[in-house]
Amino acid sequence: MLQDVAIPGDDAARAGGQAVPPAGDRLSASRVLAALRAAGDESRLKLLILCRRSELTVSELTRVMGQSQPRVSRHLKQLCDAGLLERAREGSWVFYRLTLDARLAGIAAVLDAAIDPADPEMARVVGRLDEVRRRRTEQAQDYFSRNAAGWHELRRLHVSERDVETALHAVAGPGPLGDMLDLGTGTGRVLQVLGARARLGIGVDLNPEMLMIARSAIDRPDQRHLQVRQADMAALPFEDAGFDLVTAHQVLHFADAPGQVIAEAARVLRPGGRLVVADFLSHDLEELLTLHRHRRPGFDDTEMQAWFRAAGLVPEHGVRLAGRPLTVGVWSAVRPLAGAAPHATEGL
């Protein structure tokens, strides 16, 4: 059940730092050698380091490297074949980024750290990368400026985002968050808010413009464990039981079938993993449906818990953040451990 709560300061919630990745299984000698061979070329080494520092398209990498697109594409294929890079399509664009495999990513980190940043050729390449990042930031700021009026008007109707973010920290639980998935990531704000406590954070969204904003926001050295990609939150491109935390912040009211989104979130949760949903409680503001294209006029506690249970999750405590006139609810549910008896909690 949801209960009204007072929001304390969030210093404690933000403490804890980034989780240390688990050691995992070691790589075979042949896998290590294959990775080193792929990186054992000057151009491929530069591409690996560039993609470790930022998610980049072929056209961006061509501009940074000063090489032809066919040549860059061949090098990228070799790095992907060796498992060092991953390839992800977003509409007509294809982004390349460092692998999510911490063992292979560790090889890239060692190689990056071994290169003298004052090396003239590397400095030139990094300078061109910085220019690409500046252009992205300008494009993101332009899109945000053109749409900011509507967003600010909506924020005026409910409790402050700072209070919601503090509640997200509290409901997500103390300590490291493990591997995190943010549905409908939008500007990437939830990734930034909770990402410091995660080993890995991935945000998904269908809107290319929002992904542009999010990618620009997380393109920082201390957030290289965060990524965004284009995906439908009702049909996620991930295997079962791959995440410890799934968040859905102010996106469920856009869904045609909220229950299906919750079922998909439950599918990708590991046993013991937690789903956290923040959204509006039921309201009668018709302009949100007509002007802002909301599909649902908020949710009530009963239907949210029913969706959780239908997806095989166990509802937990909820938080109610009263605003004027909109009230935000923050719900959570866990995927039971194997063999554990379901036990829902009521209240705080």
Side-chain angles (χ1 to χ4, degrees):
M1 298 290 291
L2 295 179
Q3 292 191 0
D4 296 309
V5 296
I7 299 298
D10 59 354
D11 293 341
R14 295 183 180 179
Q18 184 175 338
V20 178
D25 297 329
R26 294 180 183 271
L27 292 167
S28 67
S30 61
R31 288 288 305 280
V32 173
L33 286 171
L36 291 175
R37 288 192 192 101
D41 170 272
E42 183 179 356
S43 293
R44 290 197 294 275
L45 179 59
K46 290 176 183 175
L47 287 167
L48 177 61
I49 290 171
L50 289 169
C51 291
R52 178 177 182 265
R53 298 186 182 192
S54 187
E55 297 183 7
L56 296 158
T57 65
V58 176
S59 61
E60 289 171 335
L61 287 166
T62 297
R63 187 159 60 249
V64 171
M65 293 288 291
Q67 298 178 3
S68 69
Q69 183 165 326
R71 183 180 180 186
V72 169
S73 295
R74 285 196 300 271
H75 286 316
L76 289 170
K77 183 179 186 305
Q78 288 179 267
L79 291 167
C80 288
D81 288 345
L84 289 167
L85 296 185
E86 292 182 349
R87 180 180 186 275
R89 179 172 292 279
E90 292 181 12
S92 60
W93 299 99
V94 176
F95 282 88
Y96 288 85
R97 52 181 166 242
L98 188 65
T99 177
L100 295 179
D101 188 323
R103 301 165 302 177
L104 289 166
I107 294 174
V110 170
L111 294 174
D112 193 354
I115 296 177
D116 183 354
D119 175 83
E121 180 57 28
M122 199 63 207
R124 280 193 291 272
V125 171
V126 171
R128 296 189 201 115
L129 174 61
D130 290 340
E131 178 59 29
V132 166
R133 285 169 158 168
R134 280 193 292 271
R135 289 179 185 171
R136 279 189 185 174
T137 300
E138 290 170 359
Q139 291 172 341
Q141 289 174 341
D142 177 65
Y143 178 81
F144 186 86
S145 297
R146 286 186 280 111
N147 293 274
W151 293 340
H152 289 317
E153 178 65 20
L154 184 57
R155 287 176 181 151
R156 185 183 61 81
L157 301 175
H158 62 81
V159 68
S160 76
E161 290 296 330
R162 182 179 178 86
D163 288 349
V164 176
E165 291 166 4
T166 302
L168 287 174
H169 268 294
V171 174
L177 299 177
D179 297 329
M180 169 189 170
L181 175 66
D182 184 39
L183 305 181
T185 197
T187 64
R189 180 58 186 167
V190 172
L191 279 181
Q192 293 179 285
V193 168
L194 297 178
R197 297 169 56 198
R199 186 192 75 85
L200 165 73
I202 298 177
V204 298
D205 204 296
L206 273 177
N207 188 311
E209 286 80 12
M210 299 310 298
L211 287 171
M212 174 181 63
I213 293 175
R215 187 171 281 115
S216 177
I218 63 175
D219 193 5
R220 294 170 27 182
D222 62 333
Q223 295 180 342
R224 286 177 183 159
H225 63 301
L226 305 181
Q227 298 183 1
V228 295
R229 61 182 64 178
Q230 189 174 44
D232 184 348
M233 62 183 177
L236 296 169
F238 304 110
E239 296 181 355
D240 296 354
F243 295 93
D244 303 291
L245 173 69
V246 177
T247 55
H249 174 252
Q250 297 290 10
V251 295
L252 213 56
H253 56 248
F254 289 111
D256 288 320
Q260 181 180 341
V261 175
I262 289 175
E264 267 294 271
R267 179 183 66 79
V268 301
L269 275 176
R270 293 179 177 130
R274 176 175 283 111
L275 168 63
V276 177
V277 175
D279 218 305
F280 300 127
L281 269 70
S282 298
H283 61 79
D284 57 3
L285 296 183
E286 292 188 8
E287 69 253 36
L288 296 187
L289 303 180
T290 57
L291 298 180
H292 295 276
R293 299 183 180 179
H294 292 195
R295 298 296 181 89
R296 293 290 301 265
F299 306 94
D300 62 46
D301 194 33
T302 301
E303 65 182 338
M304 191 65 69
Q305 293 202 30
W307 283 324
F308 287 159
R309 292 191 177 95
L313 302 177
V314 179
E316 293 187 305
H317 303 300
V319 173
R320 184 192 303 267
L321 304 173
R324 297 181 181 178
L326 295 173
T327 296
V328 173
V330 183
W331 296 268
S332 68
V334 296
R335 181 173 177 177
L337 296 170
H343 176 68
T345 57
E346 301 292 341
L348 289 171

